[in-house]
Amino acid sequence: MIKAENISKSFGLVKALHSVSLTVKENELFGLIGPDGAGKSTLFRILATLLIPDQGKASVIGYDTIKNYRQIRMLLGYMPGRFSLYPDLTVEENLAFYASVFGTSVRQHYQLIEPVYKQLEPFRNRRAAQLSGGMKQKLALSCALIHRPKILLLDEPTTGVDAVSRKEFWELLSGIRQAGITILVSTPYMDEANLCDRIALFQDGQILSIDTPANIVADYELHLCAVKAPDKYLLLKTLRSWPNTYSAYPFGDAVHLSTTYKINNNELKQYLTHHALPGSQIMSINAGIEDRFLELLHQKTLTHA
Amino acid sequence: MNKIKYILQKEFLQIFRNKSMLPLIFVLPIIQLLIMANAATYEIKHINIVVLDVDHSIFANQLVLKFEQSPYFDVIGYADDNEQALDALYADRCDIVVHIPQYFEKNLRHGKMVKIYCAVNAINSSKAAVVYNYAQSIITQFSRQIDIESNRETSTIKAPDIRFANWFNPHLDYKTFMVPGILVLLVTLVGMVLSGLNLVREKEIGTMEQINVTPIGKGAFIIGKMLPFWIIGMVELALGMGVSLLVFNIPVEGSMLLLFAFAAVYLVAVLGIGLLVSTFSSTQQQAMFLSWFFIVVFILMSGLFTPIESMPLWAQKLTLINPIAYFVKVMRMVMLKGSTFYNISGYFLAMAAFAVGFNFLAILNYRKTST
């Protein structure tokens, strides 16, 4: 459904995308995972026919994003990262306007947006500017869906939204997917990656890896354990200077320590005690998406150095 | 076509919803019209005069009386010496000092040449010229009266009696002259500033990007954004015209239809400028400054306040590309002179060219800035 081949784009001296290639299959929920500034929005804007790439080609539903942009626009629902509906129009008016712009009506595709819109209904006469962050996102999603697009591009839809609303939003997405719509979504939150069919790990305008979340985690070849100690900063410093350490990253209230071979927990405990960190806890754990992401980053910096 | 309709609906919804916009569009201009038409006048009355009468004679008193009787002059004081008189001038207490020299009456009675010295505050040069002319005419009148009283002929040849008639504005009413011009100003503000701001706002809040991924073409979008301001501009002109007729009794000699037809083309040209400004700006603040710059230059050089004919040649040439100058001129020609389409066809053509030209430039730049 979406095909990007060797896409590069620069803004002045800043190279936003380096030869990015990816394919999104029909009815897939595909996630672009990466930190802010990784180039996710630029890729979205190219796929949404808003930007022309410097190099490479992209097609959406078989239409070229440059030559056939008109056809794409009929079939595409795009939700930009920034809330961009009319703040002075009400919920209902925004929806009706975008419906009319696509030559359809709210009633025609009401079934599709119903799960989303139902939650907005009590506020339908409220101006968009006065909605909460989560409600704004739901309105934007409704507006992007109102013409029953074949493909939905969602650029960081859950950024700045509270945890409960985020969860609700992802539930809505899986419902939309069941209605037969292909979804490409970007997010900086690694925990959301598991909710996608396939993901692309994105960093500095490059794709580090593309696969299902399970396979991406399975690719993790290191041994991982979580280490906890009261003085986290000292713990991190100490672990990084331990000769057996491959990498150590802070992770919530623990530090994730990766090693190339299975370590002896007692040996580490002794080392930590010796370095003024007595009574630390060590637990072997399974890697998550973020661990894999950090490993890939680590590899990349090693090969660069 | 339908798409334009939907955008229009949305635009009017937004404009009428905006509580500060409506008075801004309809009430402020009327207030402006009422204030400016009454305040912006070249008529100079209440010229403060200080008399330095050294002669203290009957003739001198008669001359001062003439100044006192004139509706234009207010004699605010008498100076004892030159220094005191100039003091009044320096302190801005008076606009003119009239110095009646010693032996004024004596010399006049002996038929000798007499000099009256007038010092005029010329900080505002056009006002000074008017003051000087008024003073001169009063002094001339006085001297003629003396001649008649002493049965003396100033010249053996009877001078021709010249009388003036002021055509198109017989009473030289400045309101008649100013109001048509101020109407232009009001229409221009709506067409140029509001339209540009409105379009930039879509950029600023990001809705432009959202609109760009819809099937709405750029042409339909621009027309949908501009048409409301064209309509508002026309309504505003009608409103302003109504006020001018009712409040100021401005005559409309020519065809009202012709006036509105010209305004219709003019608004398209001005909207083109607004659009051009919006393509150069990414925030409303930038758009505001840019259009303000254009408006101030255009208005000051439009002949609205100062006659174009008295500008330096290069400035006169510049007014050739100033649409406001054309509209001010046409407005006055049609309203005051009753010019017909035939009389203003050249301006019509020029304005049509502006309309095409500015919009062409704007669309060209619009394409370039948004891929």
Side-chain angles (χ1 to χ4, degrees), chain B residues 124-162:
Chain B
N124 180 340
S125 58
S126 56
K127 184 180 174 183
V130 174
V131 170
Y132 171 76
N133 279 327
Y134 286 168
Q136 199 181 29
S137 74
I138 285 177
I139 294 165
T140 311
Q141 241 176 35
F142 171 79
S143 81
R144 207 175 276 157
Q145 199 182 326
I146 299 289
D147 286 343
I148 294 163
E149 277 171 15
S150 54
N151 286 324
R152 241 181 323 152
E153 288 296 328
T154 36
S155 152
T156 43
I157 306 157
K158 197 100 176 122
D161 186 12
I162 300 169

Side-chain angles (χ1 to χ4, degrees), chain B residues 61-318:
Chain B
N61 275 340
Q62 278 175 355
L63 178 59
V64 173
L65 196 67
K66 276 243 175 269
F67 275 107
E68 265 175 359
Q69 282 165 348
S70 152
Y72 300 108
F73 289 95
D74 291 339
V75 178
I76 58 152
Y78 296 86
D80 297 330
D81 52 36
N82 209 25
E83 208 173 309
Q84 215 176 16
L86 288 179
D87 261 359
L89 205 59
Y90 275 111
D92 223 7
R93 278 199 301 275
C94 70
D95 305 301
I96 179 170
V97 170
V98 176
H99 180 187
I100 304 170
Q102 217 176 356
Y103 310 125
F104 176 67
E105 184 172 327
K106 194 173 155 194
N107 286 344
L108 271 176
R109 288 197 188 283
H110 288 94
K112 277 194 199 156
M113 171 89 120
V114 169
K115 281 182 184 165
I116 293 174
Y117 178 68
C118 295
V120 182
N121 174 4
I123 281 183
N124 180 340
S125 58
S126 56
K127 184 180 174 183
V130 174
V131 170
Y132 171 76
N133 279 327
Y134 286 168
Q136 199 181 29
S137 74
I138 285 177
I139 294 165
T140 311
Q141 241 176 35
F142 171 79
S143 81
R144 207 175 276 157
Q145 199 182 326
I146 299 289
D147 286 343
I148 294 163
E149 277 171 15
S150 54
N151 286 324
R152 241 181 323 152
E153 288 296 328
T154 36
S155 152
T156 43
I157 306 157
K158 197 100 176 122
D161 186 12
I162 300 169
R163 287 180 190 209
F164 294 95
N166 299 305
W167 278 47
F168 311 127
N169 186 1
H171 305 296
L172 290 182
D173 187 343
Y174 275 102
K175 283 191 194 93
T176 306
F177 177 69
M178 286 309 292
V179 168
I182 291 169
L183 284 179
V184 170
L185 212 134
L186 304 183
V187 174
T188 310
L189 282 175
V190 171
M192 213 158 126
V193 182
L194 288 185
S195 66
L197 286 184
N198 186 272
L199 201 71
V200 173
R201 188 163 168 268
E202 298 251 357
K203 274 198 214 176
E204 219 175 44
I205 61 177
T207 42
M208 190 88 132
E209 188 153 292
Q210 192 85 71
I211 291 284
N212 278 346
V213 289
T214 68
I216 288 190
K218 277 173 187 158
F221 181 63
I222 291 177
I223 291 172
K225 291 297 281 184
M226 291 294 160
L227 203 52
F229 292 96
W230 186 89
I231 295 169
I232 291 172
M234 292 300 269
V235 171
E236 188 137 322
L237 180 62
L239 210 66
M241 197 68 89
V243 171
S244 329
L245 297 184
L246 289 174
V247 180
F248 299 113
N249 290 315
I250 307 294
V252 182
E253 299 292 335
S255 151
M256 201 67 115
L257 194 71
L258 179 64
L259 217 56
F260 277 89
F262 192 87
V265 183
Y266 172 76
L267 267 168
V268 175
V270 177
L271 285 170
I273 300 177
L275 185 62
L276 189 64
V277 163
S278 74
T279 61
F280 280 112
S281 334
S282 47
T283 65
Q284 295 189 67
Q285 213 171 28
Q286 286 172 8
M288 190 73 209
F289 270 108
L290 251 176
S291 48
W292 192 243
F293 167 79
F294 277 118
I295 275 211
V296 168
V297 172
F298 278 171
I299 285 178
L300 289 182
M301 297 185 67
S302 67
L304 179 57
F305 297 111
T306 52
I308 292 174
E309 290 76 10
S310 58
M311 291 178 192
L313 199 63
W314 60 266
Q316 289 190 33
K317 289 265 193 284
L318 265 181

Side-chain angles (χ1 to χ4, degrees), chain A residues 113-120 138 141-142 145 172 176:
Chain A
I113 62 160
E114 198 186 352
V116 191
Y117 191 63
K118 232 172 33 200
Q119 303 178 29
L120 280 167
K138 279 169 198 157
L141 182 63
S142 304
L145 278 174
L172 291 172
I176 292 162

Side-chain angles (χ1 to χ4, degrees), chain A residues 69-194:
Chain A
Y69 69 93
R70 274 175 207 281
Q71 282 90 331
I72 293 177
R73 285 177 185 183
M74 285 302 293
L75 302 168
L76 186 87
Y78 170 55
M79 185 174 148
R82 201 177 126 209
F83 179 71
S84 43
L85 297 173
Y86 294 98
D88 48 348
L89 295 184
T90 64
V91 167
E92 218 169 21
E93 285 161 351
N94 265 301
L95 201 59
F97 173 67
Y98 281 102
S100 63
V101 157
F102 279 100
T104 175
S105 66
V106 177
R107 219 176 319 143
Q108 204 174 341
H109 298 304
Y110 186 72
Q111 223 184 335
L112 177 67
I113 62 160
E114 198 186 352
V116 191
Y117 191 63
K118 232 172 33 200
Q119 303 178 29
L120 280 167
E121 200 112 51
F123 311 108
R124 62 179 213 276
N125 288 321
R126 196 181 280 192
R127 303 215 178 144
Q130 286 148 4
L131 292 174
S132 68
M135 284 296 168
K136 274 182 183 165
Q137 293 308 80
K138 279 169 198 157
L139 176 58
L141 182 63
S142 304
C143 288
L145 278 174
I146 194 65
H147 58 294
R148 199 174 214 303
K150 289 232 164 13
I151 287 188
L152 198 56
L153 298 184
L154 306 170
D155 190 3
E156 298 203 7
T158 53
T159 300
V161 174
D162 68 84
V164 178
S165 297
R166 266 170 62 190
K167 194 163 164 283
E168 274 176 15
F169 197 89
W170 278 90
E171 279 162 14
L172 291 172
L173 285 192
S174 69
I176 292 162
R177 206 189 116 220
Q178 270 158 27
I181 294 173
T182 308
I183 303 174
L184 177 61
V185 58
S186 74
T187 176
Y189 302 118
M190 299 283 169
D191 56 322
E192 291 178 347
N194 290 313

